[in-house]
Amino acid sequence: MTSDQSDRPQPSPAPVSDRSMPSCECPRGCGGRPEAGIRLTSPYPPVAAAAGRSAPPTVPYVPRQVGELVLDALSGRLGHFMDRIGKAVYLRPESGGAEWEADPGWIDRPPKGLGAKLSERNRDSRLNSGTAEPA
């Protein structure tokens, strides 16, 4: 038998306590581990109910087709309905950009009269880009 195969318990290696760094002298007293004092928080700011709303719509609106304009009443943002997966609704901003996840209970129809304003704005943008004929 070699010494490695003996029945004697092998001594365990000493714990590594020296990081080859000077000891911490900060006022927080973190003991050289500043990450120990970090609290995990959300990187996103909390969202308050917009437009004075403190409760979701009594009857949430259910979008019927992709691209339909809806209002996320919790954040107060308008967006195009993209998909519903599980208990989440995904909306994309009117001007394009990254989708955001919305609670289906806070989805509402856009304000009245907004459809006419959007149609006018879209018509103007098509005229300015040369993709549409004047009416």
Side-chain angles (χ1 to χ4, degrees):
M1 248 188 201
T2 63
S3 62
D4 292 334
Q5 296 175 345
S6 69
D7 292 335
R8 289 182 296 159
Q10 298 295 322
S12 59
V16 178
S17 61
D18 179 26
R19 295 186 186 179
S20 300
M21 295 174 22
S23 62
C24 177
E25 297 176 9
C26 74
R28 289 176 45 191
C30 64
R33 294 183 357 186
E35 67 276 5
I38 296 176
R39 299 191 67 184
L40 297 177
T41 59
S42 173
Y44 304 106
V47 177
R53 277 196 129 144
S54 59
T58 53
V59 179
Y61 179 66
V62 179
R64 290 179 171 66
Q65 61 183 0
V66 173
E68 185 175 350
L69 189 65
V70 294
L71 173 69
D72 178 3
L74 182 61
S75 67
R77 297 191 295 175
L78 288 170
H80 292 284
F81 171 73
M82 299 308 290
D83 200 2
R84 176 186 299 266
I85 300 175
K87 293 186 177 183
V89 172
Y90 292 90
L91 306 176
R92 186 175 300 273
E94 289 180 271
S95 57
E99 292 180 355
W100 78 90
E101 188 176 305
D103 183 352
W106 285 87
I107 299 297
D108 204 358
R109 292 179 188 264
K112 296 217 183 277
L114 185 64
K117 290 179 190 175
L118 285 176
S119 296
E120 181 69 21
R121 189 169 68 186
N122 289 340
R123 186 182 69 79
D124 289 345
S125 68
R126 284 192 301 269
L127 286 173
N128 291 336
S129 66
T131 58
E133 295 295 321

